[in-house]
Amino acid sequence: MSKIRVTVWSEGLDPKLEPKAVACYPDDINACIGGFLSRHDDLQVTLHTLSEPENGLSQEILDNTDVLIWWSHLYNDQLSDEASNRVVEAVLNGMGLMLLHSSMGCKPARAMLGRNSNGGKYREIGERERVWVVNRSHPIMEGLEKEYIDVPQSEMYGEPYGMATPDDILFISWFEGGEVLRSGVTWHKGAGKIFFFTSGHEEFPTYHLPEIQKVITNGTRWLKPTHTPGLSFRGNLDKVTPLSPINLEGK
Ligand code: ZN
């Protein structure tokens, strides 16, 4: 069986502006996520970042990506419109997209899901987050041993979050301050799938938690394209094949 080609992309962390984040993820967040995904034989992982030529999202890179995992927070406006358009096009053609943490503010997400760019309700005091499983039958829940995941310290994002109504809600988070959030949701867009999963503030070691790693690993597998590449549904639209008349009387 061919491996799932996974590109883990992140915007990069600035050691001067984000020393706490760099302390949690000295090699950047994409390396942490790529590291635990690489332990699985069915996943072939490549890392890319915003500062690379073409923002690390060239057509060649996207053409060789089955699932794109995206982490961004502060530098969404630095992504070129061309790179954003390429990502949107790739998703519509079947590439899976995982949007982590604050990534709902990135250009391709805003283009596809209508999220406004000025953020929503949030608080950053390191409060506890409990990520409740809502849809127990979803493949992303495979191997989760409890009905929730406890994240000891988190950044709160709360409802109303201003995202497009999802096709499915997999997780709802409760925060110590009382707010809640649809923290794991999915959409189908064209031939592609999107999974948005919010737990993963850069200043806490959330991506080191085994249960969070399990969700991201399962999510990667679920996002694998299911369409046949190159399959066209257009056909010849010039002619209509006449249908036999329906005989309602059984004669
Ligand atoms: Zn954050």
Side-chain angles (χ1 to χ4, degrees):
M1 202 176 74
S2 60
K3 295 188 177 204
I4 303 174
R5 299 167 302 170
V6 187
T7 297
V8 189
W9 184 95
S10 61
E11 65 180 13
L13 301 171
D14 185 326
K16 280 193 189 127
L17 295 174
E18 306 168 86
K20 274 180 78 181
V22 172
C24 276
Y25 303 102
D27 300 319
D28 198 3
I29 290 171
N30 61 352
C32 173
I33 293 171
F36 66 76
L37 290 177
S38 298
R39 296 202 299 263
H40 300 275
D41 289 342
D42 58 328
L43 306 178
Q44 178 188 310
V45 176
T46 312
L47 308 181
H48 287 288
T49 188
L50 178 69
S51 59
E52 293 171 26
E54 300 190 71
N55 296 145
L57 296 164
S58 68
Q59 194 60 52
E60 192 187 350
I61 289 170
L62 293 174
D63 285 346
N64 288 290
T65 299
D66 295 316
V67 177
L68 174 61
I69 300 180
W70 186 289
W71 192 98
S72 67
H73 193 176
L74 295 174
Y75 310 116
N76 285 322
D77 290 340
Q78 292 182 21
L79 187 83
S80 74
D81 291 343
E82 291 76 17
S84 173
N85 291 341
R86 284 193 294 272
V87 170
V88 171
E89 193 66 21
V91 171
L92 296 177
N93 284 312
M95 183 184 75
L97 175 64
M98 190 182 309
L99 296 167
L100 293 174
H101 190 45
S102 290
S103 300
M104 190 56 72
C106 74
K107 285 182 182 177
R110 275 148 55 190
M112 286 187 281
L113 303 168
R115 171 94 168 96
N116 61 30
S117 59
N118 59 0
K121 191 183 282 181
Y122 82 97
R123 178 173 56 237
E124 193 189 337
I125 57 165
E127 67 202 275
R128 189 153 62 101
E129 175 184 3
R130 181 163 282 187
V131 187
W132 287 95
V133 173
V134 176
N135 183 342
R136 297 185 67 86
S137 68
H138 198 282
I140 287 179
M141 305 309 164
E142 194 175 335
L144 290 187
E145 284 168 6
K146 295 199 326 197
E147 57 185 342
Y148 56 79
I149 302 168
D150 266 335
V151 180
Q153 285 193 294
S154 191
E155 179 179 44
M156 184 281 290
Y157 291 137
E159 300 283 359
Y161 196 64
M163 57 188 166
T165 301
D167 293 336
D168 200 356
I169 300 175
L170 310 189
F171 297 100
I172 290 179
S173 283
W174 164 89
F175 295 89
E176 210 171 342
E179 289 83 359
V180 294
L181 175 70
R182 293 164 291 173
S183 52
V185 300
T186 62
W187 292 270
H188 294 264
K189 289 284 168 190
K193 288 173 278 193
I194 300 174
F195 174 41
F196 173 45
F197 187 61
T198 60
S199 294
H201 180 53
E202 62 276 22
E203 296 190 346
F204 306 122
T206 313
Y207 295 124
H208 297 288
L209 297 172
E211 298 292 271
I212 296 290
Q213 294 184 356
K214 205 168 278 180
V215 169
I216 291 173
T217 306
N218 291 344
T220 303
R221 292 182 176 131
W222 179 75
L223 286 166
K224 179 187 163 187
T226 44
H227 77 305
T228 306
L231 180 66
S232 169
F233 292 92
R234 289 201 182 110
N236 182 354
L237 303 180
D238 297 337
K239 288 181 187 165
V240 175
T241 309
L243 298 170
S244 331
I246 298 171
N247 184 343
L248 293 175
E249 293 172 1
K251 288 178 186 169

